[in-house]
Amino acid sequence: MEKLKGVIIGCGRISYRHVQALIDNDSETQLVGLCDVIEDRAIEKKNQYMESFPERYVPVFTDYKEMLKEVKPDFAMICTESGYHGDIAIHCLEEDVHVLIEKPMAMTLEEIDKINELSEEKNLKVGVCHQNRFNPPIQKLRKAIDEGKFGRLINGTARILWTRDQNYYDLAPWRGTRKLDGGTLMNQCIHNIDLLLWMMGSDVVSVQSERGTFLRDIEMEDFGAILLRFANGSIGIIEGSACVYPKNLEETLSIFGETGTAVIGGLAVNEIKTWNFEDKTEVVEEDDSSKVKNVYGDGHTPLLKDFIDAIKEDRLPLISGYEARKPVEVILKSYEQRKLP
């Protein structure tokens, strides 16, 4: 089958993971364009890609609409500031281009719903980068839930206890803003919130929250806590901080049930820390999944593979626009419930 043609829109901090995912999935896809309003960033990612494929020419653009018209891609990977995700995704879909969007999918539910409506109307695929779902320990945890090893689910907790100093925010003025980024919950915590919602497997029926801006000079929160009640009666607890001294402390997902307890931690929720079940036959073996280099983990490669397969098989990706709506809705509900001045 002919390779799918992909482009990257936005060549900032996370885009190198998307370039690597394209390299890793080269048997099924090929990079045909890069775009960033700062041209040097796009050139840098072009050089990264061409280290693996020096014989290929990849054009660079500063206007993504011009790029779409010129190279006519099958799909676009959207890696811009969060506040631009919605507009760009909608335009791509209107141009009959599938979209794979970095988290969060968009900053408003109205934008998300428009994206999902367009994808249905045009039979185009929308995927969102909650790549930690593909971590082997996370897949193992989901399998244990599906097999009923926990019995009745009681509660789950998602903790992101990191540090992001003022320099982090000053390096990119959009960070921490209401319009383009949100606070710690929307930026740093959304991956773990997605995992919590996926594991608990039930609709959220109530949201309570407390937030504050304690140390960083930003518009939104640098610490937030959310308490959830699910339709199945279980409770979810979310804790997210950018204020931990002096460095990142933990990112953990814990699930507690009648007959099981599991805690997944590590640099990118990629290591099993606790695995206790009434059924003693379960054996946890070490594998290479714990050997990640940073908090982004290694999930972008299998995530892109799933997205490519979804296009070819005409099915929803694992993290579809409908799945990605759920954590954004929880965060926005928490913002409504406890507004900052």
Side-chain angles (χ1 to χ4, degrees):
M1 184 178 289
E2 189 175 336
K3 291 183 180 183
L4 296 177
K5 297 185 294 182
V7 296
I8 296 177
I9 302 172
C11 296
R13 182 183 176 103
I14 191 60
S15 61
Y16 83 99
R17 297 301 308 160
H18 291 257
V19 174
Q20 187 59 53
L22 286 160
I23 293 170
D24 293 340
N25 285 286
D26 184 65
S27 64
E28 296 184 90
T29 186
Q30 181 172 336
L31 180 63
V32 297
L34 289 152
C35 179
D36 197 282
V37 292
I38 301 175
E39 188 176 33
D40 286 347
R41 289 180 180 173
I43 292 172
E44 179 184 344
K45 299 308 179 293
K46 170 184 176 179
N47 293 337
Q48 177 191 347
Y49 184 77
M50 291 185 68
E51 283 180 11
S52 297
F53 308 109
E55 74 284 0
R56 296 182 187 171
Y57 171 71
V58 181
V60 166
F61 300 83
T62 55
D63 183 330
Y64 77 90
K65 293 180 180 179
E66 177 187 339
M67 177 175 67
L68 296 181
K69 288 180 180 178
E70 185 164 325
V71 305
K72 301 187 185 317
D74 297 300
F75 68 91
M77 306 166 84
I78 301 172
C79 308
T80 62
E81 296 90 335
S82 302
Y84 300 132
H85 290 177
D87 284 345
I88 295 173
I90 289 168
H91 182 81
C92 288
L93 292 168
E94 289 173 340
E95 294 296 314
D96 297 317
V97 176
H98 305 281
V99 290
L100 182 60
I101 313 168
E102 259 300 332
K103 61 79 186 170
M105 180 177 172
M107 296 295 287
T108 70
L109 296 181
E110 290 76 16
E111 289 176 314
I112 290 174
D113 291 341
K114 176 65 174 177
I115 291 168
N116 286 333
E117 288 168 10
L118 268 175
S119 71
E120 281 194 21
E121 177 186 319
K122 290 177 164 284
N123 193 30
L124 294 166
K125 306 308 171 191
V126 174
V128 181
C129 294
H130 288 297
Q131 70 274 5
N132 289 340
R133 285 203 192 188
F134 291 91
N135 293 351
I138 293 296
Q139 292 281 319
K140 187 181 185 74
L141 176 59
R142 176 66 192 211
K143 184 172 184 287
I145 290 174
D146 290 342
E147 291 175 348
K149 289 184 178 293
F150 285 89
R152 180 183 179 184
L153 288 176
I154 299 167
N155 70 289
T157 66
R159 305 183 80 205
I160 304 280
L161 303 181
W162 287 353
T163 184
R164 292 292 183 268
D165 62 17
Q166 190 60 45
N167 182 60
Y168 165 84
Y169 293 101
D170 292 343
L171 281 173
W174 63 274
R175 291 177 182 158
T177 62
R178 188 180 302 273
K179 181 179 180 181
L180 296 181
D181 187 25
T184 301
L185 294 170
M186 187 69 84
N187 189 322
Q188 283 77 31
C189 296
I190 193 168
H191 283 305
N192 226 11
I193 294 172
D194 170 70
L195 294 180
L196 176 66
L197 298 178
W198 190 40
M199 296 304 171
M200 301 311 283
S202 181
D203 291 338
V204 174
V205 295
S206 73
V207 178
Q208 300 177 60
S209 72
E210 291 288 350
R211 301 180 299 137
T213 307
F214 292 93
L215 301 180
R216 312 306 175 212
D217 182 18
I218 58 177
E219 287 183 354
M220 302 300 285
E221 82 281 349
D222 56 20
F223 177 87
I226 303 175
L227 183 65
L228 303 176
R229 172 72 76 169
F230 293 94
N232 63 10
S234 61
I235 293 172
I237 302 168
I238 298 159
E239 180 183 5
S241 179
C243 299
V244 174
Y245 178 85
K247 61 183 180 180
N248 288 3
L249 180 63
E250 67 174 278
E251 177 179 8
T252 54
L253 176 71
S254 305
I255 304 295
F256 303 93
E258 181 184 11
T259 55
T261 296
V263 179
I264 313 297
L267 191 60
V269 276
N270 59 294
E271 297 178 26
I272 295 175
K273 299 296 187 181
T274 301
W275 195 261
N276 295 322
F277 292 94
E278 187 176 63
D279 175 3
K280 302 293 185 180
T281 61
E282 188 73 29
V283 177
V284 177
E285 297 179 355
E286 289 293 325
D287 56 34
D288 290 337
S289 65
S290 63
K291 298 176 182 178
V292 299
K293 296 179 180 179
N294 55 53
V295 296
Y296 300 133
D298 294 327
H300 281 88
T301 291
L303 183 143
L304 177 58
K305 177 66 168 69
D306 174 74
F307 181 69
I308 292 167
D309 289 347
I311 294 173
K312 292 181 176 180
E313 297 166 11
D314 192 21
R315 62 165 174 84
L316 290 175
L318 176 62
I319 306 104
S320 66
Y322 303 101
E323 283 292 291
R325 187 186 193 277
K326 296 175 183 178
V328 175
E329 182 177 26
V330 163
I331 295 165
L332 292 178
K333 291 291 185 184
S334 79
Y335 284 177
E336 292 172 5
Q337 205 253 340
R338 286 288 184 269
K339 292 183 178 179
L340 287 173

